[in-house]
Amino acid sequence: MTHLRYLLATTAAASCLLLAPDALEARVTAFDISSTTPMYDGRRFGKAGHIERIEGIAHFAVAPDDERVAHIDGLDRAPTNADGEVEFSTEVVILRPTGQGSGVLFYDVPNRGRNLSLALLNLAGVDDDHFSVDDPGDGFQMRQGHTLVWSGWQAGLDDDMLTLDIPALDGVTGPSRDEFIFDDTETVHRERLSYPAASLDPKDATLTVRPTPEAPRETPDGLSFRYLDEQTIDITRPAGQDAGAIYEFVYPATGARPAGLAFVATSDLVSFLRGNPGHDASSPIHHIDHTIGLGISQSGRFLRDFIYQGFNADAQGRQVFDGAMAHIAGSRKTFTNDRFAQPGRFSRQHEDHDFPGDQFPFSYADTTDPLTGRTGSLLTACRATDTCPKLMHTDTSTEFWQGRASLVSTSPWGAPLTMPDNVRLYFLAGMPHFNTWGTTPQDKAPCTYPTNPLSPAPTMRALASAMQAWVTEDTAPPASAYPGLEPGTLIDPAVLHLPRVQGTVPTPPVNALHVMDYRTTPPAAGAAYPVRVPNVDADGLPQGGVQSPYVAVPVGTYWGWNLRDEGVAAGDLCSLNGSYLPFPAAPVETDSRRPLDTRYKNRDDYLDALRQAANAQVMAGLMLPEDVSLVVEDAPAFPTHRH
């Protein structure tokens, strides 16, 4: 409903932005620097020189009646200052070069308050416990001379993460819904609610259980809960319930916030740092000519939502991001612009299946949805203000199974779409959702198969460089390479022919999508959209898109999906985990795939083929020349034994 109200306001907002910019109040009111620190023990990064870290707090004010923010849920109930404005703030971290800079501000939208861009592009590690830029990896981004920026957009995170501070809405209550999956056989589970309960009377709340998202919600004997405090409950499971069962708790909540201010905070901060007028403070950085935004997974969904909701135009109607890279977002947006938002939730085939953030529009191309009658695209708002960025959208195999990525490139009735000139789509075939470089296969509960170890880092480094050239020099990047843009490149998963491995032919379910009615809690499902997946070869490897050397010259099958094991919702998809199944060294009856000894003479032969595939990627503009040696030297293990 919030998105619908927004679309109705788009034309009026665009008119206000273009005709009366001085009437808009949203702005950075102050930027408090808490520290300026030299980084990385004085290490130099080529012409960019040393790197300096700036930490600070950006303060904002916005008038609740501004047309630009009229669709932010709950903003009209937020407390205001003496001037009638809502005040809020965010934590900011900046890495700036002390030498020759590129003139590019590279903004990494934090993922749950963490930095992921250094892991993706610099081959650094990920610190899941707190926000960190302490590991520069191989220094790839620093050598570009970019000014790197992170800021909080998600409220309520731990103190060690980058957070957004927004006001609470006093006296506002409403229904909230949480889902829990235990994945074990403990009798009692203690769970934390997303919001404090407005009432501790058990009669005001409902707890149900079901084995799969499609199954009816039930309240069997033995299922119960009790409040320990306003935000903690104990759930007692019924005897004999599957370990992967879904427990849904619906309760009256308090603690609502205008969480959509996340978009304003990001928009106005980048506007301020790039030197756009209309702010009350002085920027701590200078000489910014271009801006690029990167969002990974949750933050990729945020970046799509940010553009969709019109925030690539700042309060003065000027463009915020010149280029945007939405990575591993699939066709989703976020559950952010809601007074009881849960931006950490996102739909998967088994987990959080019915949460908001995945409804029409899905694509950057204009379409009409035959199921709802709605028309538009993710770019409708930025077209109205002439602020659309140059955009790269990259998905792995996981997003086609869990993120309904086929709806990015095909219409809601399954027909191929033509992308606008400012959009490129890239499918990273055979890749799992997210890995750091150098990951190895792992046995991970509750999944059936070993995990997929691949990382698209070399491809993403090339695309980041191509985005820089596209934004700064208007040099066209590689053409889109994404299933669905051409007829026959996506198929119904029900007719997918997978190979026999370990004596069986797996039958993974796709994450289905229905029109959802969120006016009720829990929501009601309507008609289904067609969700398609890339076809596979005889080895089960997905076809089309960008074929990494490790996929083009394989030693095993790489899938973007994994299956839940027996006793934990067996046969459903195992969250975002991919699978890796090495080829048999020699023929075996339980495996229909061609054995390794018929593919390569030895490891040297394999490495030669890998080098050729990597050089082909360089010629296509999808790998940097300096990364060929990285790919070959870090090649997967090659079995030396023969049966």
Side-chain angles (χ1 to χ4, degrees):
M1 292 297 293
T2 300
H3 285 172
L4 182 59
R5 290 197 301 269
Y6 159 68
L7 288 172
L8 294 174
T10 297
T11 302
S15 175
C16 182
L17 286 169
L18 296 173
L19 298 178
D22 293 339
L24 296 178
E25 302 292 337
R27 67 201 184 281
V28 174
T29 58
F31 192 92
D32 299 332
I33 296 176
S34 55
S35 66
T36 302
T37 311
M39 293 293 288
Y40 311 126
D41 299 320
R43 175 179 169 185
R44 291 186 61 87
F45 295 90
K47 294 181 180 180
H50 305 292
I51 302 298
E52 192 172 59
R53 172 176 176 158
I54 300 172
E55 292 189 14
I57 303 291
H59 300 269
F60 308 88
V62 60
D65 56 354
D66 281 354
E67 290 287 352
R68 175 175 175 249
V69 298
H71 63 291
I72 292 180
D73 198 351
L75 188 60
D76 58 337
R77 300 289 300 271
T80 57
N81 60 19
D83 295 322
E85 297 173 312
V86 177
E87 297 179 329
F88 54 105
S89 64
T90 186
E91 298 173 309
V92 183
V93 173
I94 300 170
L95 296 181
R96 67 180 179 187
T98 60
Q100 181 177 330
S102 65
V104 172
L105 185 157
F106 194 97
Y107 181 87
D108 174 22
V109 185
N111 178 293
R112 293 170 174 78
R114 305 169 298 165
N115 145 48
L116 291 186
S117 68
L118 296 185
L120 181 66
L121 299 177
N122 282 34
L123 314 183
V126 173
D127 192 330
D128 284 326
D129 296 327
H130 66 284
F131 176 86
S132 174
V133 293
D134 293 340
D135 180 3
D138 71 352
F140 173 78
Q141 289 189 91
M142 289 75 175
R143 292 194 302 273
Q144 313 310 305
H146 300 337
T147 296
L148 308 178
V149 180
W150 297 261
S151 67
W153 64 269
Q154 188 175 347
L157 298 175
D158 293 340
D159 291 341
D160 290 335
M161 303 298 184
L162 279 190
T163 59
L164 177 70
D165 185 8
I166 52 179
L169 306 180
D170 292 338
V172 174
T173 61
S176 184
R177 180 168 64 102
D178 281 317
E179 278 191 5
F180 308 106
I181 299 173
F182 301 160
D183 283 337
D184 61 35
T185 56
E186 295 295 323
T187 302
V188 178
H189 257 262
R190 184 156 298 173
E191 302 290 351
R192 183 168 177 82
L193 303 178
S194 296
Y195 287 89
S199 166
L200 298 186
D201 187 342
K203 295 179 182 178
D204 294 333
T206 302
L207 176 66
T208 62
V209 65
R210 62 196 194 276
T212 64
E214 300 82 11
R217 294 164 171 86
E218 298 179 340
T219 55
D221 291 341
L223 176 67
S224 65
F225 75 93
R226 68 186 183 98
Y227 283 106
L228 277 72
D229 57 43
E230 62 180 9
Q231 209 162 352
T232 311
I233 62 171
D234 275 352
I235 296 176
T236 300
R237 67 189 305 153
Q241 193 71 46
D242 187 278
I246 301 164
Y247 295 82
E248 182 179 73
F249 189 65
V250 178
Y251 62 103
T254 186
R257 298 176 186 272
L261 286 174
F263 301 114
V264 183
T266 303
S267 179
D268 288 3
L269 175 71
V270 176
S271 166
F272 163 70
L273 292 176
R274 76 172 297 169
N276 285 350
H279 303 282
D280 297 346
S282 297
S283 174
I285 58 176
H286 306 285
H287 310 299
I288 299 299
D289 303 312
H290 304 281
T291 54
I292 296 172
L294 169 67
I296 302 171
S297 190
Q298 179 208 31
S299 49
R301 300 190 296 274
F302 176 87
L303 193 55
R304 281 167 53 88
D305 215 354
F306 174 92
I307 295 168
Y308 168 61
Q309 299 212 31
F311 287 103
N312 208 45
D314 70 6
Q316 303 296 325
R318 292 176 172 83
Q319 189 158 328
V320 176
F321 290 117
D322 301 320
M325 302 179 70
H327 181 54
I328 53 178
S331 66
R332 306 184 191 97
K333 298 182 283 294
T334 63
F335 183 19
T336 297
N337 190 12
D338 190 281
R339 64 188 65 190
F340 288 105
Q342 296 185 50
R345 301 270 189 183
F346 63 104
S347 173
R348 281 148 289 164
Q349 184 269 329
H350 188 77
E351 303 88 358
D352 289 351
H353 182 268
D354 296 334
F355 276 83
D358 57 7
Q359 296 291 286
F360 182 88
F362 313 109
S363 181
Y364 307 100
D366 283 320
T367 56
T368 297
D369 181 4
L371 302 186
T372 65
R374 294 176 57 193
T375 297
S377 80
L378 291 174
L379 304 183
T380 297
C382 67
R383 283 178 181 157
T385 56
D386 194 25
T387 57
C388 289
K390 294 174 177 176
L391 200 147
M392 289 182 179
H393 178 108
T394 48
D395 280 324
T396 69
S397 286
T398 303
E399 279 66 62
F400 276 87
W401 288 91
Q402 288 282 32
R404 303 107 170 197
S406 64
L407 293 170
V408 175
S409 57
T410 63
S411 69
W413 59 92
L417 293 174
T418 299
M419 291 299 113
D421 292 340
N422 65 309
V423 175
R424 297 291 188 277
L425 308 181
Y426 303 102
F427 167 49
L428 308 174
M431 294 285 167
H433 183 67
F434 185 83
N435 277 332
T436 56
W437 185 256
T439 298
T440 57
Q442 304 289 328
D443 291 323
K444 183 176 182 180
C447 300
T448 301
Y449 302 118
T451 58
N452 185 333
L454 298 186
S455 165
T459 304
M460 294 305 299
R461 284 151 70 105
L463 291 178
S465 297
M467 174 58 84
Q468 178 184 353
W470 197 13
V471 164
T472 62
E473 303 168 13
D474 203 25
T475 301
S480 293
Y482 199 94
L485 296 174
E486 299 293 336
T489 52
L490 290 172
I491 65 171
D492 186 334
V495 300
L496 189 69
H497 293 291
L498 292 171
R500 184 173 66 256
V501 291
Q502 299 177 1
T504 63
V505 177
T507 55
V510 77
N511 184 16
L513 178 64
H514 294 255
V515 175
M516 301 299 292
D517 184 353
Y518 289 106
R519 292 173 297 181
T520 63
T521 306
Y529 292 97
V531 178
R532 302 289 184 255
V533 297
N535 208 347
V536 298
D537 64 9
D539 295 321
L541 290 163
Q543 299 300 286
V546 179
Q547 296 277 318
S548 153
Y550 297 155
V551 175
V553 185
V555 293
T557 298
Y558 300 99
W559 286 325
W561 51 267
N562 208 316
L563 297 178
R564 284 178 160 264
D565 219 337
E566 290 297 326
V568 278
D572 273 10
L573 296 187
C574 195
S575 192
L576 300 178
N577 295 287
S579 306
Y580 170 62
L581 294 100
F583 294 141
V588 291
E589 292 183 359
T590 57
D591 202 313
S592 65
R593 298 171 300 165
R594 190 157 61 96
L596 202 63
D597 61 5
T598 66
R599 298 171 185 265
Y600 316 107
K601 297 176 182 178
N602 49 42
R603 181 168 176 80
D604 288 341
D605 184 42
Y606 163 65
L607 293 179
D608 285 344
L610 200 64
R611 187 176 291 105
Q612 292 178 33
N615 285 327
Q617 292 287 282
V618 173
M619 293 296 293
L622 296 167
M623 185 178 295
L624 301 175
E626 57 265 33
D627 283 342
V628 172
S629 59
L630 172 74
V631 168
V632 175
E633 290 169 6
D634 290 351
F638 185 86
T640 57
H641 62 281
R642 292 287 185 269
H643 293 300

